Amino acid sequence: CLSSYDMVHYGHSNQLRQARAMGDYLIVGVHTDEEIAKHKGPPVFTQEERYKMVQAIKWVDEIAPGAPYVTTLETLDKYNCDFCVHGDDITLTVDGKDTYEEVKTAGRYRECKRTQGVSTTDLVGRMLLMTKAHHSNIDEDLDYRKHTDNFGKGPKGHSPWTGVSQFLQTSQKIIQFASGKEPQPGDTIIYVAGAFDLFHIGHVDFLEKVHQLSERPYIIAGLHFDQEVNRYKGKNYPIMNIHERTLSVLACRYVSEVVIGAPYAVTADLLDHFRVTLVCHGMTEVVSDKDGSDPYEEPKRRGIFQLVDSGSNLTTDLIVQRIIKNR
């Protein structure tokens, strides 16, 4: 499989899942910043960030950093690959040639279906949709207030940000992405919660650190519903709706299970139900619950709460800023 993998989303993950199912070992070629800039324009993420992001997807066995933009038989032979896989959209070089021509002619090319409802262009569009709000005092922005008042008000309440997602979730898609593994005796069940919006390298760094806290970690990620995320993040967040965020997090190799629409407060019920040993949170600010209480009050009371420093300062906010800067 080969791509720039700039802003890795569940569409890419789904392509990699399909590719892995076609063979036994998946090597993913990731282009350098220089190659991408030449053919497509400046990438949002650096090559190092992109390598790490792809490596974190659970169907990837190995990455080939600095893969050439045009796939040749020489490249396939170098990595002992029988064939290469690409989505069913054509990619062209800067001078209009099909980048897979040589391998297609040799019969060493396979295709997988593109995931309906998401593309990098679509996500960028969502981020640019309301850039004004990123720079204004929202309280004074009446248009914006009108939009937020519509948030999640039944079928007639059309939200400008959940409305742009064309993705339709199915139980089949969740099954394809889920690990299906139950926690085993001796596993450390670790709970983390958040929006995990635009699943990115900051999230990967955090989950990797959490994964290293135990010999046998079983990480459960609690994802908050869109309305909840909008309550504490404001603006036009979340960029991705709950269904999209579910797949993005399930594709990460460090995550075993996802709670779709987890309560904001980590309750005694939740901790008991999943038999949670440890609750972790990153170094980002914890916004109080609606009633002003600390959402981590119960795990703190039990002495099972731990702050984890991911070592990364990348946030969804910063990504949106990078996008706006490159618009």
Side-chain angles (χ1 to χ4, degrees):
C1 248
L2 199 79
S3 180
S4 3
Y5 297 107
D6 194 24
M7 278 195 61
V8 175
H9 52 68
Y10 61 91
H12 294 126
S13 301
N14 195 34
Q15 180 194 356
L16 296 172
R17 179 190 66 77
Q18 292 176 74
R20 181 67 172 75
M22 292 177 187
D24 306 301
Y25 192 85
L26 176 62
I27 300 173
V28 182
V30 187
H31 308 312
T32 61
D33 295 346
E34 201 180 355
E35 277 280 78
I36 296 170
K38 188 171 119 190
H39 296 275
K40 294 178 94 168
V44 177
F45 295 99
T46 67
Q47 57 204 40
E48 295 311 320
E49 287 173 324
R50 288 182 293 107
Y51 297 157
K52 189 160 189 184
M53 196 67 210
V54 174
Q55 193 68 75
I57 294 170
K58 64 185 176 189
W59 298 286
V60 176
D61 293 299
E62 191 185 320
I63 63 162
Y69 200 76
V70 176
T71 307
T72 60
L73 294 170
E74 189 190 348
T75 306
L76 293 190
D77 292 339
K78 178 184 169 187
Y79 290 102
N80 291 323
C81 292
D82 296 303
F83 57 87
C84 68
V85 181
H86 192 260
D88 51 11
D89 52 327
I90 298 167
T91 57
L92 302 173
T93 61
V94 73
D95 45 15
K97 289 200 178 76
D98 179 351
T99 54
Y100 289 90
E101 199 172 346
E102 188 181 316
V103 289
K104 279 178 181 174
T105 309
R108 289 170 71 181
Y109 175 83
R110 306 255 177 108
E111 216 161 66
C112 60
K113 278 199 195 69
R114 210 186 139 267
T115 308
Q116 292 301 312
V118 70
S119 66
T120 305
T121 316
D122 167 49
L123 289 176
V124 169
R126 295 189 213 178
M127 285 179 247
L128 295 178
L129 192 65
M130 296 184 74
T131 46
K132 184 177 68 163
H134 290 280
H135 305 289
S136 62
N137 182 336
I138 289 159
D139 287 337
E140 292 165 15
D141 190 338
L142 286 174
D143 271 355
Y144 195 87
R145 284 300 294 277
K146 221 163 33 196
H147 284 308
T148 49
D149 288 346
N150 276 336
F151 199 94
K153 286 194 181 154
K156 295 279 189 285
H158 178 76
S159 142
W161 46 90
T162 53
V164 278
S165 170
Q166 304 303 310
F167 175 68
L168 298 170
Q169 184 71 284
T170 60
S171 54
Q172 185 56 32
K173 188 60 77 226
I174 292 178
I175 289 165
Q176 288 169 342
F177 271 61
S179 73
K181 290 195 195 87
E182 301 262 320
Q184 299 304 308
D187 285 356
T188 304
I189 300 173
I190 307 173
Y191 182 73
V192 297
F196 292 99
D197 194 14
L198 285 182
F199 194 75
H200 56 73
I201 195 73
H203 297 129
V204 168
D205 285 334
F206 167 69
L207 290 165
E208 185 184 23
K209 286 280 194 323
V210 171
H211 197 264
Q212 289 164 355
L213 293 175
S214 155
E215 280 292 295
R216 291 176 50 184
Y218 184 94
I219 298 177
I220 301 173
L223 301 192
H224 302 137
F225 277 133
D226 298 346
Q227 254 170 308
E228 193 67 74
V229 174
N230 188 252
R231 178 187 71 80
Y232 64 81
K233 289 277 291 178
K235 298 182 187 167
N236 52 330
Y237 292 111
I239 306 284
M240 282 182 157
N241 68 33
I242 183 75
H243 302 306
E244 299 178 293
R245 292 184 283 122
T246 297
L247 293 187
S248 301
V249 175
L250 280 175
C252 178
R253 65 173 69 249
Y254 305 117
V255 175
S256 301
E257 180 64 289
V258 167
V259 182
I260 305 166
Y264 188 65
V266 182
T267 58
D269 280 351
L270 184 142
L271 296 173
D272 296 341
H273 178 83
F274 292 110
R275 301 195 301 282
V276 174
T277 323
L278 188 62
V279 175
C280 296
H281 189 269
M283 307 311 277
T284 54
E285 180 202 0
V286 177
V287 178
S288 300
D289 204 350
K290 287 187 199 72
D291 61 3
S293 63
D294 176 359
Y296 291 105
E297 196 178 319
E298 180 60 22
K300 284 176 182 172
R301 193 185 65 74
R302 295 186 183 197
I304 59 168
F305 179 77
Q306 189 171 335
L307 280 174
V308 173
D309 188 350
S310 70
S312 166
N313 66 347
L314 196 65
T315 61
T316 306
D317 269 328
L318 283 174
I319 292 173
V320 173
Q321 282 166 32
R322 285 190 196 186
I323 298 276
I324 291 168
K325 203 175 94 212
N326 283 7
R327 68 177 297 171

